[in-house]
Amino acid sequence: MLETLAQCPAGLPLRDLAHRLKIPAAAAERAVQGLVDGGFLFRSADGTVNLSVKLAALGLAYLGTSGITDLVQPILDDLAKRTGELVRLAVVESDHLTWVAKSQSTQSGLFYVPHTEPEVYLAATANGQAWLANLSDEQVKIVVEKQGLHRSGLGPNAPATIEQLLTQIERTRQLGYACVTEAYEIGTSAMATAIRKRGVGTPVGTISVAGPTIRMTPARMTEIAPWLLASADELGAAAASSPLFSLT
C-alpha cells in the first residue's frame, strides 16, 4: 500500500487503492485506518488517501545514520562531476536491488530523468546485469523468472529471452562492468559495476552511470570505465562501516 501511494503524489481514492492492490475495499479501509493512526497516511477533505511526510522523514533519518550523507554521497557526487551524467547507487536486498541514492551532474543541459520505482528491474538495466553477473546461470534464471523477464515499455535492445540475457551477462563478466544501450528505455544508455566490501566477496550493491545515448557512446563508456570501477572500490571501503550495505 505504501509503495503504491509513493507512486501517486496526489493520492488515491480508497476504492482505486483497493483495486490496484486487488483486495476488498473493507480490507483496504482497515489497513488505511491503521496507517492513518500511525501517522503514515492522511485523508484529504475529499477522502483521497495520501502519504504523510512521516515516511519520508524516517527514510531520510535512516539514510543519514547509514552513512549515505557522510560516506557515500561525496563519492557519487565526484563520479557525476567527472562524467557529467547521472550516477545511481543500488543495494542488494536478498534477491533484488533497491535504489537508494543518486547524483546528477549539472554540466549538461540534457538530463536523463529515470523512473521512480524503488526496485531495480534486473534484466534490462546495467545495475541489474552487473549484479546478476556475480550469480551462477541457474541463480540468474531463478531470480529473473521471479521478477519477470517480459515488461512493456522497454527499449528495443532489452533481452527477450533468458538465453539473450545470459549472453549479455557473460560479456559483463569478461569486462568487469555491464553496458546497456536502449534496453531499459529508448534513447538512454548506462553502465554499472558491482560493489564489494573491501573489493572481495559477495556484491552488496551496484553503482551506475547513465545518460542519453547520444552522449553515452561505446567510446565514452570505455573512457568512463576506470572512474566507475574506482568509485566502486571506494564504496566497497565505505561499505564496511555502513549498515546500509548489510541487507543481503
Side-chain angles (χ1 to χ4, degrees), residues 29-51:
E29 170 62 35
R30 290 193 295 272
V32 165
Q33 189 56 52
L35 290 168
V36 168
D37 293 342
F40 294 100
L41 302 180
F42 69 92
R43 299 179 195 259
S44 300
D46 60 0
T48 301
V49 180
N50 302 266
L51 282 181

Side-chain angles (χ1 to χ4, degrees), residues 4 15 30 49 83 91 113 119 146 164-166 174 193 196 202 222 225 231 244:
T4 298
R15 181 174 297 180
R30 290 193 295 272
V49 180
T83 62
V91 296
V113 181
E119 187 173 323
K146 180 179 179 180
Q164 290 179 359
L165 174 60
L166 290 175
Q174 295 172 4
T193 193
R196 294 177 176 82
T202 303
T222 300
S231 296
L244 181 68

Side-chain angles (χ1 to χ4, degrees), residues 124-143:
T125 62
N127 288 77
Q129 292 187 12
W131 177 55
L132 292 173
N134 294 274
L135 307 180
S136 68
D137 287 356
E138 283 304 312
Q139 288 175 313
V140 169
K141 292 177 182 179
I142 293 171
V143 170

Side-chain angles (χ1 to χ4, degrees), residues 121-126 128-134 137 140 149 155-184 190 192:
Y121 179 63
L122 300 175
T125 62
Q129 292 187 12
W131 177 55
L132 292 173
N134 294 274
D137 287 356
V140 169
L149 180 61
N157 296 324
T161 65
I162 285 290
E163 289 69 28
Q164 290 179 359
L165 174 60
L166 290 175
T167 297
Q168 295 180 18
I169 287 175
E170 183 55 37
R171 180 170 179 268
T172 297
R173 290 169 179 154
Q174 295 172 4
L175 289 174
Y177 56 89
C179 295
V180 299
T181 299
E182 295 196 321
Y184 186 59

Side-chain angles (χ1 to χ4, degrees), residues 78-101:
D78 179 68
L79 184 58
K81 184 178 180 180
R82 284 172 175 266
T83 62
E85 304 296 351
L86 173 69
V87 173
R88 302 181 79 187
L89 171 70
V91 296
V92 178
E93 294 186 280
S94 182
D95 59 356
H96 63 277
L97 286 171
T98 300
W99 299 114
V100 294

Side-chain angles (χ1 to χ4, degrees), residues 65-88:
T65 58
S66 68
I68 279 287
T69 303
D70 297 331
L71 299 174
V72 174
Q73 196 63 49
I75 300 172
L76 304 185
D77 292 344
D78 179 68
L79 184 58
K81 184 178 180 180
R82 284 172 175 266
T83 62
E85 304 296 351
L86 173 69
V87 173
R88 302 181 79 187

